[in-house]
Amino acid sequence: MQKRSRIRSILRRRVSKTSTAGVPNSGVIEVGFLKIDTNKRTVYKGDERIRLTGLEYSLLELLVNHSGKSFNRREILHFVWGYTSEQHADTRVVDVHISRLRGKLEDDPNNPELIITARGAGYLFQRIIELEN
């Protein structure tokens, strides 16, 4: 009985790694001019590789993996920085990182098309539409 539970647990982890919400099994996501390789943790804008810090990539990964879903600053602090609700943190640090990420990814950071501000709700990555062949 214990062996079955362990196998189920391993399979569950394996399935969650290979097919995250909105991320194809290949691990490569293409949104317009942007190409994100989740396996290698690399990002390309056209043919140019974009250098992201670890925090910037983690923030992008959170938003892309849940494209279309907004996250408020506290949720982002929890998922990316690991802060708990009991810890006091300046939520404006999220704004700074979003701004830097937009500066690297967007053609016009002042009018973002990828990382969008949802007034009163937080930030979200535009919904990824998967095309079926």
Side-chain angles (χ1 to χ4, degrees):
M1 190 69 159
Q2 188 178 18
K3 194 173 189 178
R4 277 190 212 167
S5 297
R6 195 168 20 156
I7 291 171
R8 270 192 237 125
S9 175
I10 291 169
L11 287 173
R12 187 174 51 249
R13 283 191 304 258
R14 182 72 183 146
V15 168
S16 68
K17 282 184 178 180
T18 58
S19 182
T20 309
V23 179
N25 286 341
S26 68
V28 177
I29 304 165
E30 293 189 47
V31 182
F33 53 83
L34 197 65
K35 180 177 162 185
I36 305 164
D37 187 335
T38 59
N39 295 326
K40 296 179 183 175
R41 294 180 58 95
T42 56
V43 178
Y44 291 87
K45 184 176 177 181
D47 293 330
E48 177 189 356
R49 182 170 179 199
I50 304 299
R51 303 264 181 216
L52 298 179
T53 66
L55 277 173
E56 289 169 343
Y57 185 86
S58 295
L59 177 56
L60 177 63
E61 187 175 44
L62 171 70
L63 296 174
V64 167
N65 284 342
H66 304 281
S67 66
K69 179 187 183 311
S70 65
F71 288 90
N72 65 40
R73 291 180 186 101
R74 289 234 175 258
E75 291 171 324
I76 292 172
L77 282 171
H78 172 71
F79 290 117
V80 176
W81 277 264
Y83 289 135
T84 62
S85 58
E86 294 83 32
Q87 290 175 301
H88 177 72
D90 184 6
T91 58
R92 291 300 188 182
V93 72
V94 173
D95 299 341
V96 172
H97 280 80
I98 290 285
S99 177
R100 288 181 183 160
L101 197 52
R102 283 177 174 162
K104 292 179 179 184
L105 302 179
E106 302 277 359
D107 284 334
D108 182 4
N110 294 323
N111 296 307
E113 296 179 4
L114 298 173
I115 301 172
I116 301 165
T117 302
R119 287 199 173 238
Y123 296 102
L124 64 103
F125 193 85
Q126 77 168 357
R127 182 170 294 283
I128 298 173
I129 300 170
E130 293 185 40
L131 302 175
E132 293 185 26
N133 295 333

